[in-house]
Amino acid sequence: MRLLHHASPWRTLFAGERLPDPSRLSDLLAPLREALEALGPDPELADAHAWQPRLVTALVRLDLPAWRISQLISDHNAWLTRRAIRLAEAEMAGQGWGAPPVRFCVLVLGSGGRHESLLAPDQDNAMIIDDYPDARHVEIDGYFQSLGERFTARLDAAGIPLCQGHVMARWPMWRKRLGEWQRQLEIWSAERRVKRVQQANILLDFTPVHGDEALAEALRDWVVGRLPGAGLFLDEMGALFDEQPVALDRFQRLAGSQEGAPHERALNLKHQAMLPLVAAVRLLALRHGVRETDTRRRLAALVGRGALDAERCRALTAAHARLQELLLAEQRRNLAAGRAADGWVDIARLGEDERLLLRHDLQRIRALQRRARRS
């Protein structure tokens, strides 16, 4: 069946073992077909990662919105991660390690876990291992430690850098048995501790990328069943909004922190717009037992639970899409000029209507923060 130009098949592009066959794509998708033909059917990991900006260019030529493109970037990164894991498993089997000793599941976290990655993310991943007897810990965890080290090293070599905060399955902190993850979250959510809330925020935007997804669903069941009642923990999550305020001054004018800014016209839309929106939606989702991970689906689910009205959901979904559009356009511009793809946007490039709309969106996000705190 040919891939058609409508919403539902896009997420199947990178769902299989191999890259899509360009010969099966419709002429309507010529830019994507040409990009896939240029990459080839079986590229090295580094080549497949380096190709990602060309993929984005093809998707822009097809007039896909930035929110859909970010989903496909996330899907492509997940495909790279699965391939790195399979290569690591094959290498270990060839060295006599054998097959994985118990069930396991690798998770991607953060923007990848929300299916909202833009260009040039680093690694954020974790691993759930099926429960096993303590007496087998050295044997079983030794296998998964080696697997975690190998696949994260492969991704790093391919151009997806190791997380500077060590949020990766190569470290014991982010590689645990299912029961240990449940106990860890129980400890983190038992009181108001800033570091524990920050760590939980990273973990709670997770999605399975390889292995037995039933383990990930079991952890999600635990989160949905237990965290809505963790009032002190959720209150501290709301208090952390003060550490990442939106880019508005007290007169509701555009004004962001200039720390680390590349120039005086730069606004950090990642840290002072996108992440505050994501965090407020996450907090509301946790309070109301929402299972969804990505921001758009969380917003829709919150309407279904009566936590948001449809108009507020529509406005915030549109704000999220506009922020992704601004960030992706600036990242592509930076990469074309040989600069880093980061979260800064030059507001001098924006027209007066765009600045007014951005200011309106930031006001909406600030209001959502207040609502999430008191819900």
Side-chain angles (χ1 to χ4, degrees), residues 44-154:
E44 297 293 326
L45 274 180
D47 293 333
H49 178 257
W51 170 80
Q52 196 169 91
R54 178 159 184 176
L55 167 67
V56 172
T57 297
L59 299 174
V60 169
R61 288 177 59 193
L62 290 168
D63 205 26
L64 265 67
W67 64 266
R68 177 68 78 192
I69 294 174
S70 75
Q71 289 179 339
L72 296 178
I73 293 172
S74 303
D75 291 346
H76 183 244
N77 286 334
W79 183 87
L80 292 169
T81 301
R82 287 194 300 274
R83 186 166 185 191
I85 297 168
R86 286 194 295 269
L87 289 170
E89 288 176 322
E91 179 181 71
M92 291 177 70
Q95 293 174 350
W97 287 79
V102 295
R103 297 185 305 151
F104 75 104
C105 184
V106 176
L107 312 174
V108 290
L109 313 177
S111 61
R114 297 189 305 273
H115 313 290
E116 294 167 5
S117 293
L118 296 176
L119 295 167
D122 63 0
Q123 295 185 48
D124 286 310
N125 52 65
M127 190 184 296
I128 306 173
I129 304 169
D130 200 9
D131 291 326
Y132 57 81
D134 289 343
R136 297 188 64 194
H137 178 73
V138 172
E139 167 208 349
I140 293 177
D141 190 63
Y143 177 94
F144 290 113
Q145 177 182 342
S146 183
L147 180 63
E149 290 172 350
R150 292 172 192 240
F151 88 75
T152 55
R154 276 185 160 80

Side-chain angles (χ1 to χ4, degrees), residues 237-253:
M237 191 176 287
L240 286 181
F241 294 166
D242 293 336
E243 303 296 317
Q244 207 165 51
V246 298
L248 293 172
D249 64 17
R250 61 194 182 96
F251 300 109
Q252 306 291 322
R253 298 174 302 196

